[in-house]
Amino acid sequence: MSWLNKLERIAAPIAVPGIIRYVAFLSSAAFIVGLAMPGTQALMPLEPAAVFAGEWWRLLTFAFMPSSYSLFWIFALMFLFYMGDSLERVMGATRLTLFYLLGWLATVVATFLFGGIGTPVFLNLAILLAFATYFPDSQISIYFIFPVKVKWVALVSLAIALVVARGLSGYATLALCLGNYLLFFGFDLVKAFHTTQQIAKRRHEFREKARPDEDTLHHCKVCQRTEKSDPDLEFRVSADGEEYCTEHLPSRVSGV
């Protein structure tokens, strides 16, 4: 989209090549510090009241806080690293930086507008959705056993987010936090959906035209016309037992 290209040119000076790598590195550092000093875990989430009280660092640290301190989070971090590299190859460093920073800003604004505690859950969900948009058939292994396509992981994650959000403020927060995804991919998704609908419509029309008229009473063996396709035709049954229109009727007729 032209306006997105213009925005990308404006944002070029702030591009950070490998931005998701830095996010993954800082998240791993937060993971280690949180395990070593559990008291620091409570200092990372974005809490508006705490920010107004002077804990301004929460505006940044919430983006790097681990969602858990289990072994699973390490693998999730590795997947985030992989998604970041893949997205940067197709989007470029500038566009990916813009995508991430808009997601961060949206999370901050949503938290201050609608309350609650800001975490990177929706921010990382936007990255997952972007990755699934570009690479829908890529597979990941759940617990190293079950291969699942990324598009299904993204859809299930989005469904869980919708269930967890609940309430007007929750849905508003989710919509705002995923605003960067809608901004970057919404137009293409609508266009793709419209194209899919048109293709399905054409296929249906083709099948309808190709389908024989099974509900007709008369059917000419030669020209295939029926009383529905040409109401003015008259039909006769020939001596061979087949039905013909009067234009293609053989010389001997057995009846009407």
Side-chain angles (χ1 to χ4, degrees):
M1 301 175 65
S2 58
W3 63 267
L4 192 54
N5 293 331
K6 292 178 181 178
L7 186 61
E8 186 177 1
R9 286 195 293 270
I10 295 173
I14 64 172
V16 181
I19 185 171
I20 305 302
R21 288 190 174 195
Y22 290 112
V23 172
F25 173 77
L26 291 172
S27 298
S28 61
F31 181 84
I32 295 172
V33 172
L35 288 178
M37 296 180 289
T40 61
Q41 297 178 15
L43 299 176
M44 297 191 68
L46 178 58
E47 299 180 17
V51 173
F52 288 130
E55 298 180 4
W56 56 267
W57 63 82
R58 292 177 181 268
L59 292 169
L60 300 175
T61 56
F62 84 90
F64 315 122
M65 62 175 291
S67 59
S68 72
Y69 288 86
S70 65
L71 186 63
F72 175 79
W73 172 245
I74 296 176
F75 295 111
L77 207 57
M78 293 170 61
F79 185 50
L80 177 65
F81 188 99
Y82 171 71
M83 288 193 297
D85 280 0
S86 300
L87 285 173
E88 188 161 327
R89 283 196 297 270
V90 295
M91 297 177 69
T94 302
R95 186 166 293 198
L96 181 58
T97 299
L98 188 60
F99 179 83
Y100 185 81
L101 292 180
L102 286 175
W104 166 81
L105 179 61
T107 304
V108 172
V109 171
T111 304
F112 277 85
L113 280 179
F114 305 112
I117 297 176
T119 70
V121 173
F122 293 158
L123 186 55
N124 292 337
L125 176 59
I127 295 174
L128 174 60
L129 292 174
F131 180 77
T133 301
Y134 280 119
F135 310 101
D137 295 322
S138 294
Q139 291 190 343
I140 60 175
S141 296
I142 305 298
Y143 299 113
F144 304 101
I145 300 175
F146 309 106
V148 180
K149 290 185 177 181
V150 170
K151 61 183 177 183
W152 302 123
V153 176
L155 287 174
V156 169
S157 299
L158 180 59
I160 293 174
L162 289 170
V163 171
V164 172
R166 284 184 299 183
L168 183 60
S169 62
Y171 292 134
T173 299
L174 178 61
L176 186 56
C177 290
L178 295 182
N180 60 337
Y181 175 78
L182 296 175
L183 183 66
F184 278 71
F185 299 97
F187 177 80
D188 291 335
L189 290 176
V190 171
K191 185 177 179 181
F193 177 77
H194 181 65
T195 301
T196 301
Q197 292 293 99
Q198 286 184 323
I199 293 174
K201 182 180 179 181
R202 291 195 195 102
R203 287 177 176 172
H204 176 72
E205 291 175 350
F206 177 79
R207 285 195 296 266
E208 287 297 315
K209 291 179 179 179
R211 182 183 301 170
D213 292 320
E214 297 176 353
D215 297 331
T216 58
L217 181 62
H218 301 290
H219 182 270
C220 178
K221 184 180 180 181
V222 177
C223 65
Q224 307 300 318
R225 287 182 293 177
T226 69
E227 78 275 10
K228 288 188 177 181
S229 62
D230 192 340
D232 295 328
L233 278 181
E234 293 185 6
F235 297 86
R236 299 289 186 273
V237 178
S238 179
D240 60 1
E242 298 291 346
E243 190 173 34
Y244 299 87
C245 67
T246 52
E247 294 179 12
H248 301 100
L249 186 65
S251 58
R252 296 177 61 189
V253 178
S254 66
V256 178

